[in-house]
Structures are given as C-alpha cells and as structure tokens.
Amino acid sequence: MESLFRSNKTSWRFVCTVVLAFLGCSSATLAQESISPGCETLQDAPAFDLMHGGGTTGKYPNQMGKFFYQGDAIGAAWSTGVQMQFTLWTIGTQQDTSQSFPASTSGSITVNLTNPSNYYAVQLTNVDTNPDNDDFGINWTCTPKPAPKISQTHDFDGNGNSDIAFMSSTGTVALWLMNGGAISSTGNVATVPGTFSIIGQRDFDGDGKADLLWRDNSGNLAIWFMNGATLSSSANLGTVSSTWSVKGTGGGDILWQDASGDLAVWFMVGRQITSTAVLGTVAPATGWTIVATNDNGCLLWRDGSGDLALWQLNGSAIASSSLGTVTSNWQVLHLGDFNGDGVPDLLFRDTNTGTLAMWFLNASGTVQSTAGVATVSPGTWTVVDTGDYNGDGKSDILWKDSSNNLAVWYMNSAAILSSAGLGNIGATWTVQTQNAE
C-alpha cells in the first residue's frame, strides 16, 4: 500500500469528502466522536479523517479513523456492548503497515507503542452482527510523547545527550557521540563534495534523533536521516534561490529569509514539506537581524542600536517581546536553556574582555534575571556551540582553543559545575554549529 503521507492532495481531499459525507447523513445522528486532550491530529495535512476500505453498517460507515502525531500509547473507547475491531497503522516513508487486534465488546483498548517517534493512524471497524448496534460513540485516546527538552539539541543517537558534528577540509563528516559528559563513540559518516554545507542539525523525521540538513552552492537542499553515526536514508527537498537563506530549523521545520527581509517557513513531516507560510517582512533597512535561534521555534533579533527582541513561533503565529538593549561589545552567542526550566536563555560574551554572561527568560519571553559566568581571554578560547552534553537537561558550553583543543563546561544556570577536555581535533576539522547560513 502506498504511504498515506505520500498521497497527493487531490486524493486526500477526496477521502475527506467521502468520510464527511458519510458522517453528515441527515437521516439519523451518530453518537459523538471525540479526541482526548493531549492527542494531536496531524496538523497541516489536507485531511484529518480517514476511512480505510468502504461499506457501511446500516446508515453509517463501519470504519473510521484518525491520524495522530507521535505518542507513547494510543487507543479508543466506544459504547460497551458494540463489537469493534481496532487496527493500528504505522505510517512509513515508503509503505504503511497495519496490526489488527481481536474484536471486542469491552468498550476500550489501549496499545503501547513500540516506537513513540513514529507516526500512527488508528481505525475502528464495527463488526457487530446486531443491526441495532450501528449507533456508537467513539473517543480516541493517547498518551502523548513528552516534549523534548530545548537543551537537548543535535542528539544523533537519541540518548538525551547532545553530540558533536565535524567536517574535514576534504568533506568527510564525523560525529562524536556523547554519554554522561564523555565521548562514548566516534565515527565517520560519509564524504561529500566541497560544494555542500551543513545548515541544520534537527530531528526532521520525529524519531528522537537529530538529522543533517544540507545545501550546496546551487541552492539544492537535502536531508540525511541519521541513526547515531549511521546514515539511514536521505531525501532531496528541491532547489531554492540563493537569495533565500535558512535562518532556523526549530522543531524540525525550516525558516527562510530572503535578501528583502521576507520570512517564510516550511512545515516538515520527515521528507515531506506539508505546507508553507509567510510570516512577514523585516527589511534590512530596519537594522534588525536574526542573531540566534533554538529548537523550539524561538528567534532572537538584534538591531543596530543593540536592542534585542524575541519571537516565539507557534506554527505561523508569532508572539514577540522586547528584551532590552546591550552595547555593541556584547556578542550574542547562543540561545540555550542553562537552568533547565524549559524556557530559552541568552548567552553573551564581551568581545573586549572575554567575559561571559547570561540572561534568563521567563515563559512570557521577558528577562527574569541576569548573571555573570566567568572571564576567558578572547584570544585563546572561542565558544563554538552549546548543548546538553551530559544529559542533565541543562545546556552546556563547548569551547575550542587556538590549538584546536575542545573542552566543555557543564553548567547549572550560570555556575560551572565542572569542565572536561575532549581532545584535539587538528587543524583540518571544523565543529559544525547548529545553523551555518
């Protein structure tokens, strides 16, 4: 069976029309269908309702289903005494697979999912032979997968620790996989032509593991779907004019800005661009530029006067807040979550003295507190990235010195809990930060 996610929009609209037409019969009223709180139907898909197969029991379709995002468990509840058969569909990139469970009159079923990162569809079939049992209520249930912590970025093996990606001068890609603050394993992934650059490290297919977003000099885009240091599969996304640059990949979607300041987003499900949206225009003449992003769709802006503003994206909706003003000697390094409260924090460095400082934000996107961290001579060590390298739910700071030694500071808010040297990478290897464009 062809993957449901790869169906074209015309067929999706047809399915939606058929199902809604059945449900809209005016001769009688179907008992109410509902979805438990926390269960998300697949947003941005052309249809939410799906009927596998066909046929009706009396006045109503005998098969009804819903698409859901990922979760830990999924199921349904229906009118006790009606014999129903529950089928679970696992949505694949090439083919969908199904698992049917024995028919039951118990009125409920819950199935624990073996891979909470997959996408699933659920289906109920009325197999009751009693013609009086054609009216039944359905409540779709699920246990949602916990949201990933915003500190756990670029985690390629899904163990809750951020990993480190490298590229050599000859185009070889390598990974250091971290576990508890130590390097658990290393591996070369593949070698690419020098025309390609890594421009994003996010989980695009929802399997809990970061993937690599590539772009070449001609504007061609591709994703490598990763499993640790192994390249599982890849997908071409098309070509985008060089006037557009990738500014962020929060939540596995792709944020674009062109030379005129126009902002747009591609909403992604795996290798599919499910929809697009225009966010507006921030013209270069205004002086505002994006200086940092994170994995939860936050954009940090700065203008020529040092004013800072935060955009928090929810789909195409924008919640903006003003954060304050910093002088030009303070460079914004990264958005992280250094105190582990699930809200982004700002990491700064004074380019004159090398002093590091943090701004801790609250959920409304305003500054809750500030703190100094430490001073490191700017001529010797450079901050190359942040991430949760020891898996404690708080962002840490990755450093590289002028001799190509790597070290990490393990953080608890603005306090340095400990530090560790990770090794020397040599002059031919470069740490790949989360977004390169």
Side-chain angles (χ1 to χ4, degrees):
M1 177 180 179
E2 182 181 348
S3 173
L4 299 172
F5 275 113
R6 293 183 294 107
S7 302
N8 60 51
K9 290 186 177 180
T10 301
S11 63
W12 272 106
R13 293 193 186 99
F14 172 75
V15 169
C16 183
T17 302
V18 171
V19 173
L20 294 180
F22 275 121
L23 296 181
C25 292
S26 59
S27 57
T29 302
L30 178 67
Q32 184 173 356
E33 179 188 23
S34 59
I35 301 175
S36 291
C39 297
E40 290 185 282
T41 49
L42 183 61
Q43 300 176 11
D44 304 316
F48 295 154
D49 295 287
L50 174 69
M51 181 175 69
H52 284 288
T56 61
T57 300
K59 300 176 287 292
Y60 304 108
N62 70 336
Q63 294 178 322
M64 301 189 339
K66 291 280 183 182
F67 273 109
F68 290 99
Y69 271 125
Q70 308 122 336
D72 288 327
I74 203 165
W78 63 90
S79 303
T80 303
V82 180
Q83 191 169 33
M84 303 287 283
Q85 184 172 44
F86 181 85
T87 302
L88 176 69
W89 289 83
T90 302
I91 308 305
T93 56
Q94 300 297 327
Q95 185 173 352
D96 306 320
T97 58
S98 64
Q99 179 183 7
S100 293
F101 295 81
S104 172
T105 59
S106 66
S108 67
I109 186 173
T110 298
V111 178
N112 293 322
L113 303 176
T114 56
N115 187 346
S117 296
N118 282 339
Y119 294 92
Y120 295 93
V122 287
Q123 173 185 318
L124 274 179
T125 303
N126 186 349
V127 295
D128 205 301
T129 58
N130 184 349
D132 294 330
N133 284 341
D134 59 356
D135 279 357
F136 51 88
I138 295 175
N139 180 55
W140 303 106
T141 62
C142 74
T143 303
K145 184 178 68 172
K149 296 180 179 179
I150 63 175
S151 60
Q152 293 172 342
T153 56
H154 47 97
D155 175 12
F156 292 94
D157 56 2
N159 70 345
N161 294 247
S162 296
D163 304 310
I164 307 172
F166 303 89
M167 184 180 287
S168 74
S169 56
T170 57
T172 300
V173 179
L175 294 178
W176 285 4
L177 303 179
M178 304 293 291
N179 187 15
I183 302 170
S184 61
S185 64
T186 65
N188 291 347
V189 181
T191 299
V192 299
T195 56
F196 276 89
S197 299
I198 296 173
I199 60 172
Q201 302 175 45
R202 301 295 191 205
D203 179 14
F204 290 98
D205 59 358
D207 67 351
K209 302 170 185 177
D211 308 303
L212 294 174
L213 178 65
W214 293 87
R215 193 179 191 190
D216 72 2
N217 295 343
S218 300
N220 299 304
L221 279 96
I223 298 177
W224 283 6
F225 298 103
M226 304 298 297
N227 180 15
T230 301
L231 171 59
S232 298
S233 63
S234 62
N236 294 321
L237 299 182
T239 303
V240 177
S241 166
S242 60
T243 60
W244 288 89
S245 297
V246 171
K247 294 299 183 181
T249 52
D253 302 315
I254 303 176
L255 176 71
W256 296 89
Q257 188 176 33
D258 71 1
S260 300
D262 300 318
L263 288 155
V265 61
W266 286 1
F267 296 107
M268 307 292 297
V269 176
R271 64 193 67 213
Q272 301 291 329
I273 304 169
T274 59
S275 64
T276 63
V278 176
L279 301 182
T281 301
V282 180
T286 64
W288 287 95
T289 59
I290 298 172
V291 292
T293 66
N294 75 356
D295 204 25
N296 279 35
C298 292
L299 310 180
L300 183 65
W301 295 83
R302 186 176 187 174
D303 71 4
S305 300
D307 300 318
L308 293 168
L310 184 72
W311 280 14
Q312 299 181 79
L313 302 183
N314 182 9
S316 58
I318 302 170
S320 62
S321 56
S322 177
L323 300 181
T325 303
V326 293
T327 55
S328 60
N329 55 299
W330 285 99
Q331 178 187 9
V332 178
L333 298 180
H334 289 278
L335 276 175
D337 181 13
F338 296 96
N339 58 4
D341 65 353
V343 178
D345 306 312
L346 279 63
L347 177 64
F348 297 89
R349 193 179 192 190
D350 186 331
T351 56
N352 294 331
T353 65
T355 300
L356 274 75
M358 293 179 181
W359 285 8
F360 299 99
L361 305 186
N362 57 31
S364 63
T366 57
V367 179
Q368 177 175 270
S369 62
T370 66
V373 180
T375 298
V376 178
S377 174
T380 55
W381 288 88
T382 302
V383 174
V384 290
D385 213 345
T386 60
D388 184 9
Y389 298 105
N390 60 356
D392 67 351
K394 300 171 185 177
S395 296
D396 307 307
I397 303 174
L398 183 66
W399 294 87
K400 185 174 78 73
D401 72 3
S402 54
S403 299
N404 301 302
N405 296 299
L406 286 183
V408 60
W409 283 1
Y410 299 109
M411 305 299 297
N412 180 17
S413 294
I416 305 167
L417 291 180
S418 63
S419 62
L422 299 180
N424 188 285
I425 62 173
T428 61
W429 290 90
T430 303
V431 175
Q432 302 298 293
T433 54
Q434 295 177 46
N435 291 292
E437 287 197 312

